[in-house]
Amino acid sequence: HVQLVESGGGSVQAGGSLTLSCTASGLSYTTSCMAWFRESPGKEREGIAAIYTGRTNYADSVMGRFTISKDNAKNTLYLQMNSLKPEDTAMYYCAADKYNLQLARYYNHWSRGTQVTVSS
């Protein structure tokens, strides 16, 4: 049974930083493709960062501000978010799959989500 449990969401002022964590269990963590998505009201779920075999991929909307990383010893995925903007306000999800899905939305395994709110 695959489980993804995330933490680290919250409220921050524009220009601030937050780090999200996602701890995985029940999957081949080191060989899975893992990613962060976000969804805000009225918008489709958007893939923003992915990591697979050490290579990373980012959406244009977060390039240069967000960093995705993995700690294989802790089975934990991270998203370091800097220079946050009000438009980054959304529910954030981590996802995992055995296939290299990158930023596509077809992941098999999802976390429950954590809210990030950025005020101006």
Side-chain angles (χ1 to χ4, degrees):
H1 175 65
V2 176
Q3 194 169 20
L4 302 175
V5 179
E6 64 179 305
S7 60
S11 298
V12 65
Q13 288 192 325
S17 299
L18 280 174
T19 301
L20 304 182
S21 302
C22 175
T23 301
S25 61
L27 54 72
S28 299
Y29 177 78
T30 56
T31 59
S32 296
C33 185
M34 299 193 75
W36 289 98
F37 286 75
R38 66 185 181 186
E39 187 173 349
S40 53
K43 293 186 178 180
E44 291 186 345
R45 188 170 295 191
E46 173 192 18
I48 57 173
I51 186 167
Y52 181 69
T53 62
R55 292 192 172 187
T56 58
N57 185 22
Y58 297 93
D60 289 343
S61 58
V62 305
M63 181 81 72
R65 300 188 297 123
F66 291 10
T67 303
I68 187 172
S69 62
K70 289 172 67 178
D71 184 333
N72 289 334
K74 297 182 178 179
N75 283 0
T76 301
L77 179 74
Y78 300 98
L79 184 68
Q80 174 67 43
M81 303 184 292
N82 298 327
S83 302
L84 282 161
K85 305 174 182 179
E87 51 263 45
D88 293 319
T89 295
M91 187 72 77
Y92 283 70
Y93 302 87
C94 66
D97 201 282
K98 64 180 180 180
Y99 297 112
N100 184 15
L101 298 178
Q102 293 296 306
L103 302 181
R105 288 176 287 169
Y106 308 113
Y107 283 76
N108 264 321
H109 308 293
W110 294 87
S111 67
R112 291 189 175 184
T114 188
Q115 179 68 36
V116 171
T117 302
V118 184
S119 57
S120 57

